[in-house]
């Protein structure tokens, strides 16, 4: 059973096509750690998943996983950490 009150969620702030990474507004103090996986959604539809690679005070850097391409993700897309048990 999921604990909804502990959900870590944020938004895509920008995408860096050259480096192939996304900036998301999930910060260190939110409890985000490198290696966490996040689901990316737009208008309630899952677009794909990203992997948190670096966590900073201002937010995090994430890389698209699987079939997700960087150009499919838009600023303002919803990101939520998904627990893998």
């Amino acid at each position: 059973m999921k604990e909804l009150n502990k959900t870590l969620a944020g938004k895509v702030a920008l995408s860096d096509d050259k480096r192939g990474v996304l900036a998301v507004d999930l910060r260190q103090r939110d409890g985000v750690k490198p290696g966490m996986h996040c689901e990316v959604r737009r208008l309630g539809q899952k677009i794909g998943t990203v992997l948190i690679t670096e966590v900073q005070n201002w937010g995090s850097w994430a890389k698209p996983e699987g079939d997700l391409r960087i150009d499919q993700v838009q600023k303002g897309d919803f990101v939520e950490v998904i627990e893998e048990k």
Side-chain angles (χ1 to χ4, degrees), residues 3-84:
E3 290 187 45
L4 297 175
N5 60 346
K6 289 191 176 176
T7 301
L8 290 172
K11 290 197 165 130
V12 175
L14 66 88
S15 64
D16 184 337
D17 294 344
K18 285 191 176 80
R19 289 177 50 210
V21 291
L22 301 162
V24 295
D25 65 359
L26 292 168
R27 301 173 304 251
Q28 211 166 19
R29 71 173 187 215
D30 296 326
V32 177
K33 295 179 177 65
M36 285 183 161
H37 299 269
C38 296
E39 191 172 275
V40 182
R41 290 196 297 272
R42 183 180 311 134
L43 302 173
Q45 297 293 313
K46 180 178 174 180
I47 300 168
T49 57
V50 294
L51 174 70
I52 301 290
T53 56
E54 233 181 288
V55 181
Q56 308 285 337
N57 291 331
W58 55 264
S60 304
W61 290 109
K63 284 189 184 252
E65 290 189 306
D67 296 338
L68 185 67
R69 294 188 325 270
I70 194 110
D71 61 0
Q72 293 173 292
V73 183
Q74 295 176 1
K75 181 180 176 182
D77 283 348
F78 186 75
V79 289
E80 183 179 356
V81 172
I82 45 178
E83 293 303 317
E84 294 182 342

